[in-house]
Amino acid sequence: MTLARSGPRRRWAYQLDVKGSPYFYIAPFFLLFGAVGMFPLLYTAYVSLTNWNLLEPTRHWVGLANYAELLTDDYFWNALFNTVSIWLLSTVPQLLAALFIAHMLNRSLRARTFFRMGVLLPNVTSIVAVTIIFAQLFGRDFGMVNWALDLVGLDPVDWQAGTLSSHIAISLIVIWRWTGYNALIYLAAMQTIPEHLYEAATLDGAGQFTQFRKITIPMLRPTIIFTAVVSTIGGFQIIAEPLLFQAGTGNPTGGSDRQFQTVGLYLYEQGFSLYKFGYASAIAWTLCLIIVVMALVNYSITRRIRRS
Amino acid sequence: MTTIITEAPRQARVPRSRAARPRGGRRSAGFWTYAALVAVLLGSLFPVYWSLIVASHDNDAIARVPPVLTPGGHLFENIARVFDTTAFGKAMLNSFIVSGSVTVSVVLFSTLAGFAFAKLRFRGRTSLLVVAIATTTVPHQLGIIPLYILMAELGWTGRLEAVIVPGLVTAFGVFFMTQYLSSAVPDELLEAGRIDGCSTLRLFWHVVVPAARPAAAVLGLFTFMQAWNDFFWPLVVLTPENPTVQVALSSLASGYTTDYALVLTGTVLATVPVVAVFAALGRQIIGGIMSGAIKG
């Protein structure tokens, strides 16, 4: 109980310490987070309802006009299409590959840590470095990918120029960077699956693949949902890869025909090349809405998979 | 005990150690498993290795057919060129300042808040924790324009404060430490401290901080690597004259040149610090990821 060794004064100080000090400990987080996290978020909503442009002195309330403009903006729809395309091309193979890699890592292996570190290395390198390296590898004239295609008798591809080819290349960057990370998450979940399930299945004569399909996948469902949702949230915000993919430009249009401009990149172009803050904020809120909807859709789809 | 909440200890989210080896019955790996894993590994390592190859040659080597796959002798010459061509030295220093201060601050404030949320009882505790956790899911880009306006108002654009201050706390850090401390610090130890007349702050310093050390190391590692690799916000708010490494790298790559030896030497230099940290502490990093929801 309370320690009132030296009278009421001490007791009062003790009460203050116990009742008040927790707020002191959480205050730095909430104050800083409120100022640089929450406030900007809410303020974006206000900015999106104005025609705030850094290059023009006048600022007006324009209501939903920015959103209305967005709906008829071909560049926005193009960017949305590119985002969805790159997201699908990267997320689906990435998560499938991660499942199989995790499955392999889950056996008793020599040099376990070495393999785990090897598959995780791409994830600790920066997006900028990775994208620059891949842009070089996918180069039209001196890229190693085209050299390899030539080796097997295929025509070289101008990766940056085409819509599908650039989407594939950018997706590969994402896949390369995130597969190992997801594999480790799956591995952690796989290690909680009771071994006797597999033993029983083996006794019943189920093969490796059947066990993987009938035991591993269903048991991993919550983890698969988690990774799918996280990949969706990340995939829809993709900016750096398309921004840096075209070596030598750093162009916010995402290619000469905007063939790989994503919504995030369009936001960047409107906000920080053209300084149309109002319009860019409308893009930000629309993007956020799309992400929420996609994450929910994703959640319900993945939940259905392998419901046993 | 008035101040101690008794809560069922949560499962510790500690990095898995050697103790978590696969149990006896785990199927062992055959030839094809090793072959496939080695292939995956080569795929993982190759792009990084390739950047090192290009960085150690002169520019002509890149166009050679078939491509050269062994390191050349021009690495140091290329490094010197990177530092001559761009403000790379300043960028490295800036990145160390930013990542270092962000890491210290995130670890300190997360441990403080995590201690309060995990072990102290106060009004509004649950709802405040829910608010903190909920904010981890909000997309970053949503607030970027007002944040830029805010930094412009403060006169911080182009300055390191603009990158450091928004990074000083993370909701994820608070969540991570709360989860860890609720099981890592025994309530009995805190009670004993109280009986001995410790103030809450002394309890924090003498009981919580030592117990939090392993989790603080993992959190610090992740925070440092994330801050070091962060690109988009620094690109928006800093200038090419006063960049972080990632921003310097992107402007190096965006020049109207195709001096690949130079550009890829830059990527090597920017990657070295994180790869060094990773090589030294990879086991803890993997433990941190496998123990749950570290978001990249």
Side-chain angles (χ1 to χ4, degrees):
Chain A
M1 292 293 139
T2 50
L3 301 157
R5 277 189 306 217
S6 38
R9 226 192 128 124
R10 181 72 182 249
R11 184 194 295 257
W12 182 81
Y14 176 80
Q15 283 298 325
L16 186 72
D17 180 34
V18 166
K19 293 252 162 63
S21 72
Y23 297 103
F24 170 72
Y25 299 142
I26 61 170
F29 169 75
F30 280 100
L31 290 178
L32 277 165
F33 201 81
V36 297
M38 288 312 283
F39 163 73
L41 225 64
L42 301 175
Y43 202 59
T44 306
Y46 165 74
V47 178
S48 78
L49 301 175
T50 67
N51 65 349
W52 196 320
N53 188 326
L54 207 61
L55 306 177
E56 285 165 24
T58 54
R59 246 172 248 161
H60 301 290
W61 178 266
V62 295
L64 293 173
N66 284 327
Y67 293 92
E69 192 184 334
L70 203 58
L71 290 179
T72 56
D73 181 346
D74 288 343
Y75 287 164
F76 172 73
W77 289 106
N78 169 62
L80 188 58
F81 164 76
N82 291 341
T83 310
V84 172
S85 164
I86 293 172
W87 165 68
L88 277 175
L89 283 170
S90 58
T91 308
V92 176
Q94 179 197 145
L95 296 185
L96 287 176
L99 267 175
F100 281 103
I101 292 172
H103 183 62
M104 291 189 290
L105 287 173
N106 195 28
R107 290 151 183 251
S108 51
L109 281 174
R110 286 166 195 284
R112 253 166 10 112
T113 309
F114 176 72
F115 280 117
R116 289 180 187 179
M117 281 179 73
V119 299
L120 191 63
L121 177 77
N123 192 245
V124 305
T125 55
S126 79
I127 294 182
V128 182
V130 174
T131 309
I132 290 171
I133 296 168
F134 271 80
Q136 201 276 323
L137 288 170
F138 280 109
R140 189 188 58 189
D141 299 321
F142 307 120
M144 190 177 281
V145 176
N146 276 348
W147 171 79
L149 287 180
D150 186 52
L151 214 60
V152 293
L154 293 171
D155 287 332
V157 176
D158 190 349
W159 292 97
Q160 276 89 352
T163 303
L164 183 62
S165 62
S166 61
H167 291 189
I168 290 173
I170 291 172
S171 302
L172 269 168
I173 302 175
V174 179
I175 291 170
W176 184 77
R177 199 154 174 268
W178 288 100
T179 301
Y181 168 86
N182 284 307
L184 289 185
I185 302 237
Y186 289 147
L187 177 61
M190 280 179 189
Q191 293 191 337
T192 64
I193 301 176
E195 190 64 24
H196 66 79
L197 287 180
Y198 292 105
E199 282 158 14
T202 311
L203 286 180
D204 291 344
Q208 278 287 314
F209 187 66
T210 315
Q211 292 185 14
F212 182 68
R213 226 162 46 92
K214 302 268 179 178
I215 301 174
T216 312
I217 302 282
M219 294 293 278
L220 286 188
R221 213 174 55 206
T223 318
I224 294 174
I225 293 173
F226 170 77
T227 53
V229 170
V230 169
S231 307
T232 305
I233 293 171
F236 271 80
Q237 295 185 66
I238 184 170
I239 285 191
E241 291 91 340
L243 177 62
L244 296 164
F245 179 57
Q246 199 157 36
T249 59
N251 198 335
T253 56
S256 45
D257 286 328
R258 297 174 186 268
Q259 65 269 30
F260 51 91
Q261 184 179 45
T262 57
V263 177
L265 198 50
Y266 191 49
L267 189 167
Y268 175 69
E269 185 193 8
Q270 294 295 318
F272 298 101
S273 289
L274 306 171
Y275 296 108
K276 288 160 75 172
F277 282 177
Y279 198 53
S281 296
I283 298 174
W285 263 98
T286 310
L287 179 61
C288 183
L289 202 69
I290 293 171
I291 289 173
V292 170
V293 170
M294 284 313 296
L296 287 176
V297 168
N298 211 282
Y299 174 76
S300 60
I301 290 176
T302 356
R303 222 166 54 124
R304 255 162 246 260
I305 292 177
R306 302 259 167 241
R307 176 176 281 164
S308 42
Chain B
M1 291 300 117
T2 47
T3 55
I4 309 298
I5 51 157
T6 40
E7 164 181 280
R10 276 237 197 76
Q11 184 60 45
R13 287 299 193 180
V14 222
R16 266 157 227 266
S17 64
R18 286 168 175 282
R21 279 193 181 285
R23 281 136 297 174
R26 192 72 63 186
R27 290 134 300 150
S28 67
F31 170 78
W32 287 110
T33 306
Y34 280 107
L37 280 175
V38 167
V40 169
L41 207 62
L42 287 178
S44 288
L45 302 181
F46 180 74
V48 177
Y49 176 72
W50 173 247
S51 64
L52 197 62
I53 298 294
V54 179
S56 63
H57 283 280
D58 56 25
N59 241 324
D60 299 336
I62 197 125
R64 212 168 297 156
V65 178
V68 275
L69 285 175
T70 48
H74 290 72
L75 182 61
F76 293 102
E77 181 188 313
N78 285 332
I79 290 176
R81 281 205 302 141
V82 170
F83 283 99
D84 287 345
T85 322
T86 60
F88 219 78
K90 187 171 192 189
M92 292 283 255
L93 182 67
N94 281 345
S95 276
F96 273 111
I97 294 172
V98 169
S99 311
S101 36
V102 163
T103 302
V104 170
S105 158
V106 165
V107 170
L108 174 71
F109 289 143
S110 300
T111 312
L112 268 174
F115 167 50
F117 280 129
K119 293 290 163 184
L120 303 178
R121 189 207 286 275
F122 55 95
R123 235 173 211 289
R125 173 177 156 269
T126 317
S127 41
L128 285 172
L129 184 60
V130 168
V131 168
I133 293 171
T135 51
T136 57
T137 59
V138 177
H140 234 50
Q141 291 163 11
L142 187 54
I144 226 133
I145 285 154
L147 195 57
Y148 182 84
I149 297 171
L150 186 69
M151 292 304 154
E153 291 285 331
L154 292 169
W156 283 357
T157 45
R159 295 167 50 152
L160 293 187
E161 289 94 317
V163 184
I164 295 173
V165 173
L168 286 178
V169 290
T170 61
F172 172 74
V174 172
F175 170 65
F176 184 76
M177 288 315 273
T178 303
Q179 227 187 1
Y180 181 82
L181 289 175
S182 60
S183 64
V185 177
D187 290 335
E188 295 77 21
L189 205 57
L190 294 174
E191 286 168 29
R194 284 262 185 242
I195 290 167
D196 290 344
C198 270
S199 68
T200 315
L201 197 62
R202 278 177 63 108
L203 283 180
F204 175 73
W205 190 247
H206 292 291
V207 179
V208 176
V209 167
R213 221 166 266 165
V218 172
L219 180 62
L221 229 53
F222 275 101
T223 310
F224 184 87
M225 293 204 300
Q226 256 167 41
W228 183 271
N229 285 336
D230 193 17
F231 168 61
F232 186 61
W233 174 242
L235 173 76
V236 165
V237 83
L238 293 181
T239 57
E241 292 76 41
N242 190 30
T244 58
V245 161
Q246 308 301 336
V247 176
L249 198 54
S250 75
S251 51
L252 195 65
S254 318
Y256 287 94
T257 68
T258 40
D259 191 340
Y260 285 118
L262 188 73
V263 172
L264 290 189
T265 305
T267 69
V268 169
L269 287 172
T271 312
V272 161
V274 276
V275 171
V277 169
F278 183 62
L281 299 161
R283 198 187 289 271
Q284 278 87 330
I285 296 172
I286 287 165
I289 287 179
M290 286 185 53
S291 71
I294 295 272
K295 298 208 299 179

